[in-house]
Amino acid sequence: MNFDAYARTGVDLVNARLDDLDDLRALFPDENAWMRDEVADRDVAIFRRAQKRLRDVFEYGTSGRDAQAVTELNTLLEAFPVQPRISGHDSSDWHMHVTSRGASVSAEYLAGAVWGLSVWLCEYGSARFGVCADERCGNVYLDTSSNCCRRFCSERCATRSHVAAHRARKRAAVGEQVTVAPQPTSAVDSLSPVS
């Protein structure tokens, strides 16, 4: 089983827009087209609740609250239990599923996402769960940097944030120059009448 791929489904869920069934269907990649076809309106509410709880896990991890992240993941593991089984059609197609045959789309997807994030936490620690530092974004990510220093979900957000900070510093410097009164350059200038 590719636990990283399952963990990334958790990231995808937290970052997804889930206003309606069409948004939920957009969450499923082509290799899970069967989920896209079988998902129903009732699943939207289930995914929304799980999305909020998984966001909490990332926020706990980002703020160093490991115990809360573990508690939340354990609760989610109980709600969406992993029941591994081998599936496929022949010897060239065997693969693992995380739930029993006939499980709902929400049970299958969420069991995999929660299991993947749980394995990720055990392997790398909750400090690797990140929330984008760009205030306009809010997406979550898994920090795969070598020294656990990532702060943004993407290069786009990092660049946008750095450019905004640079522009703010530039505006502040220009503002300081404007608010500083000009100093007289000579004794004559200091005696000149002010008009």
Side-chain angles (χ1 to χ4, degrees):
M1 294 179 82
N2 184 345
F3 295 112
D4 285 352
Y6 278 115
R8 290 184 203 299
T9 64
V11 171
D12 293 343
L13 172 58
V14 175
N15 293 337
R17 180 178 173 168
L18 291 178
D19 292 336
D20 56 27
L21 185 57
D22 288 335
D23 288 342
L24 180 55
R25 285 185 174 130
L27 176 65
F28 306 114
D30 288 339
E31 60 265 17
N32 290 331
W34 69 271
M35 289 183 171
R36 196 172 30 223
D37 296 339
E38 292 183 21
V39 73
D41 281 318
R42 70 181 177 279
D43 292 308
V44 175
I46 295 168
F47 274 83
R48 279 187 193 145
R49 282 191 301 274
Q51 180 185 49
K52 190 224 174 290
R53 294 179 75 184
L54 288 174
R55 174 169 288 286
D56 289 345
V57 169
F58 278 86
E59 290 178 4
Y60 295 147
T62 299
S63 62
R65 295 181 287 169
D66 291 354
Q68 289 97 331
V70 168
T71 298
E72 190 63 42
L73 282 172
N74 279 332
T75 302
L76 287 164
L77 283 168
E78 289 176 21
F80 302 103
V82 175
Q83 300 171 333
R85 68 180 172 86
I86 300 171
S87 184
H89 304 291
D90 58 44
S91 61
S92 65
D93 187 27
W94 299 126
H95 57 278
M96 295 295 293
H97 279 265
V98 294
T99 58
S100 61
R101 184 182 308 274
S104 68
V105 171
S106 56
E108 177 94 15
Y109 188 96
L110 296 172
V114 172
W115 179 251
L117 289 171
S118 298
V119 170
W120 183 275
L121 182 137
C122 291
E123 184 76 18
Y124 305 108
S126 70
R128 296 287 183 158
F129 287 53
V131 178
C132 188
D134 185 343
E135 296 169 357
R136 296 164 287 185
C137 178
N139 280 346
V140 301
Y141 61 88
L142 296 169
D143 186 349
T144 56
S145 66
S146 60
N147 57 357
C148 195
C149 65
R150 187 170 166 188
R151 296 181 38 236
F152 299 95
C153 69
S154 66
E155 285 295 321
R156 180 175 162 239
C157 281
T159 300
R160 183 173 56 201
S161 184
H162 292 126
V163 167
H166 172 74
R167 289 179 178 158
R169 285 190 303 273
K170 215 172 169 182
R171 278 192 303 275
V174 168
E176 287 174 9
Q177 290 173 357
V178 170
T179 59
V180 174
Q183 299 295 322
T185 55
S186 69
V188 175
D189 288 340
S190 64
L191 298 176
S192 300
V194 178
S195 48

